[in-house]
Amino acid sequence: MTADSILATEQAHLLQSLACLDEMRDAAERIADYGVDALASEGLGRMRAARIQHLAADASAPPFFGRTDREAEAEHPSGEVFHIGRRHIRDDSGDPMVVDWRAPIARPFYRASTVDRQGVRLRRRFGFADGRLTSFEDERLDAGEELGLASDLLREEIERPRVGPMRDIVATIQPDQDELVRADLDTSLCIQGAPGTGKTAVGLHRAAYLLYSYPERLRRSGVLVVGPNSAFLRYIAQVLPALGENGIQQTTVDQLVAHVPATRQEPVEVAVLKGDARMADLLRRAVFSYIAKPVDDVVPIVGTRRYRIPVERVRRYVDDARRSLAAGELRWDSARERLRNLLAQDVRRQREDVGGAPSDSETRKVARSQQVREFVDSVWPALDPRAVLVRLYTDPAFARRCTGTSLTDEELALLAWTGAPPRTPRLAKFSAADQVLVDELTGLLSSNDAYVHVVVDEAQDLSPMQCRAVARRCPLGSITVLGDVAQATAPWAAGSWPVTLTHLGQPHAVVRPLTIGYRVPGEVLEVANRLLAHIAPNVPPASSVRAGGDALTYSTDVATAVRRCLAVAGSIAVIVPDARADAVLGELASAGIEAATLAEELGHRVTVVPATAAKGLEYDSVVLVEPAEIVAAEPTRVGGLRRLYVAWTRAVSRLAVVHQQPLPEELTEPMEHREPAGLIG
Ligand SMILES: Nc1ncnc2c1ncn2[C@@H]1O[C@H](COP(=O)(O)OP(=O)(O)OP(=O)(O)O)[C@@H](O)[C@H]1O
């Protein structure tokens, strides 16, 4: 077959697949929602809506992007052919026209090699333009052909100028990434990777893979994706819907714990202390301290009769509830409930002992009786997490009692409330670190939403207490942890995966590295890698699959540098020291260049990005303003260099450094004792 006739045949398959997809959508819309009862009908309706949404997702995307031809088998003497796409498409008779990329049969498309063919004779990739099939690329694995990263279609995809939000990488997932994407649901993973190695992409595709592969286990309380900030969430928001997954909750850690607003700023050292794992112990002791020792018999009145529960028995019940609380079997509020029930059951037994036959509803009435309620309130009061926290901050004797030996006097003094104490806990102004503590307390008092799998991105920046907040959302499930210790800029960051994983409740998660960079051009990465010796000596330098002729330039004027970027296609970020954001916006405006802020919709050509908000984002061109000032703005040199490392590694095609001050010396000194980052492929 000639290339043209292959293309024509594939184009015909594409049109047929689209027609089948239309038919599947029509069929889904025709199905009525009649279940056996109203609830079942509602459930069916929901499922149907989800299915229609799934089938409609990203209708502009080609129905398939690849194909595998399998070796001949007894049942299929000429070898089966599978087209691989974003979703399963079948014809009228139910035969697959396209198989979902997540299906086990699609795996060899990503993983087969000449060494391990996995039953595949030929792998074909397709190129598209405006929804039309325009090219294809074959690897005859059985003839020893394997392109790897040298594939033109793969390189085109990687080098496509970036505009707007993040895209899925489903057509070009690499074997090392695929292994992580398809790890089973019970496996917790920690993916450590240099900037642009595809951690976020892998984490999101893993979420989609798990939903497809474990629908039963994930249908109810599925997958939660946690990102560092709302700009990042907006940037990644389209990836999962484009893969047909609309039901995944995506949130920031701050949103996760926002029971109270964060309206108070506080010194870094206070925030660091409040993020320390020892706070968990303090809060726990504080909560337990509210349990009082019963001193009297309890005497519930039923009708006109009084039943006496002797104090020794009452103490036993309280001890029993306390043990359940300590063992984590019960939260505070349900332990209160348990206590009420224990007392009511005691009365029931007393009545039975004298020949009565009290009903369940009478027993429930005893549990709710005034005497039982007053007793429970006195030994096991209802607690407001804000009140407990405010008391710890405003009552030094109480804080000291709850501390044990874990916090020093200096540390306790740091926690003390500054300014006039709030009149009521409801009026207290809390900080972002307090929000996490309120969440910890809330978790001690009552249960929260729990997920079967959590994907947490930029996890290197989480404080131990934030890690615990994430872990609480996944008490029995697994976690995919994504991050890069070299990019840890938060002052409370642990800087070590074993520590972070322990606080995430996953001490045995395997740390898996990704070292091939798909974003940053080689010459830009080579300079960034010089910083590693100073910011994360144990992290190996990454290599880049990409090089650009004018990838790294230096100049002195922002507007000129931006204009040069405007001359080529793609998104542009002007990454600035935070304090300069307004000035640079003004400078660009007076130069006649329209620029947006990060708070505005994605898709603007030029965005001014404060250095502290650049994490996780990427742009085709980056104009990086005054690196030395970005470093100096952080409390420590290492923190500053890490911030610069993040900012330096946001560009896909070109990085234009604009500076009048000398560059930080760590950037200009070549790497010693290290392998320079090579270009792969
Ligand atoms: N296999 C791939 N095929 C095509 N593009 C890819 C592949 N892997 C990653 N990319 C692209 O590389 C870029 C970087 O990916 P991603 O943002 O996931 O990296 P990251 O490791 O999370 O980076 P950072 O540490 O900076 O947050 C993205 O544009 C992504 O789409």
Side-chain angles (χ1 to χ4, degrees), residues 154 157-158 162 166-167 169 172-174 177 193-202 235 457-458 484 487 518-519 616-618 649-650:
L154 176 65
E157 174 60 23
I158 291 171
R162 307 306 204 260
M166 189 176 190
R167 292 187 309 242
I169 60 163
T172 54
I173 296 172
Q174 291 304 292
Q177 297 175 326
T197 50
K199 299 180 292 296
T200 301
V202 166
Y235 171 61
D457 206 346
E458 306 292 355
D484 177 10
Q487 297 183 60
Y518 298 92
R519 174 195 300 138
L617 306 180
E618 79 178 12
T649 52
R650 296 304 101 199

Side-chain angles (χ1 to χ4, degrees), residues 117-163:
R117 297 217 299 270
Q118 307 188 4
V120 171
R121 200 164 52 73
L122 175 135
R123 173 169 42 221
R124 179 170 290 168
R125 292 179 192 281
F126 296 104
F128 296 88
D130 303 324
R132 265 194 76 76
L133 220 170
T134 50
S135 62
F136 70 94
E137 193 177 63
D138 281 353
E139 290 169 278
R140 292 275 314 272
L141 298 180
D142 58 355
E145 289 173 19
E146 188 180 338
L147 291 168
L149 292 166
S151 151
D152 286 341
L153 288 174
L154 176 65
R155 297 191 79 88
E156 250 171 51
E157 174 60 23
I158 291 171
E159 291 177 10
R160 217 165 11 133
R162 307 306 204 260
V163 212

